[in-house]
Amino acid sequence: MTAVIWACGIILAVATIGTLYRLWKGPTLLDRVVSSDVLLTIIAAGICLLVFAYDRYIYLPILVVLSMIGFISSVTVARFASNAPVNAEIDRVTEVDQKDVEKNLETGSEEG
């Protein structure tokens, strides 16, 4: 049983490293928020592993609080993200395409 606990711990450590990389690198705010939510879930899984390994149920209230924080933060971010302008990326792409069309008209080339 100890080998299973160690294997789970190693898997959680690797997942933590990947999640911290995504939290640090980004590229968008939503990526960082999702990675912080995943990190909170990994921490909760680590506490579950401790409960299982040491047979101590004193950590269960901590798990409940972590789960509530994760749920509330995810719902809050989803609420604010739904109010964000959706067409911001589309407008930027349209602006770039219009500049390309104007440039092609000036040079006389007809690239597709």
Side-chain angles (χ1 to χ4, degrees):
M1 193 58 79
T2 305
V4 173
I5 292 172
W6 276 99
C8 291
I10 290 171
I11 290 170
L12 288 175
V14 171
T16 302
I17 291 169
T19 303
L20 287 174
Y21 174 77
R22 181 52 53 199
L23 187 66
W24 176 63
K25 198 67 173 168
T28 64
L29 179 64
L30 286 177
D31 289 333
R32 289 185 173 100
V33 169
V34 169
S35 65
S36 66
D37 192 36
V38 169
L39 186 62
L40 192 64
T41 305
I42 291 171
I43 291 170
I47 292 173
C48 285
L49 193 63
L50 286 175
V51 167
F52 181 71
Y54 295 116
D55 200 26
R56 299 239 176 170
Y57 298 104
I58 196 166
Y59 300 116
L60 291 179
I62 297 171
L63 286 173
V64 171
V65 170
L66 281 176
S67 299
M68 286 176 24
I69 289 171
F71 175 75
I72 291 171
S73 66
S74 296
V75 169
T76 303
V77 168
R79 171 83 175 164
F80 286 120
S82 67
N83 292 335
V86 177
N87 295 329
E89 183 68 24
I90 295 172
D91 291 340
R92 188 184 67 79
V93 171
T94 305
E95 180 181 321
V96 170
D97 288 342
Q98 288 175 351
K99 288 180 182 178
D100 288 340
V101 168
E102 291 171 1
K103 181 180 175 185
N104 289 339
L105 288 175
E106 290 174 2
T107 59
S109 63
E110 294 184 14
E111 294 179 6

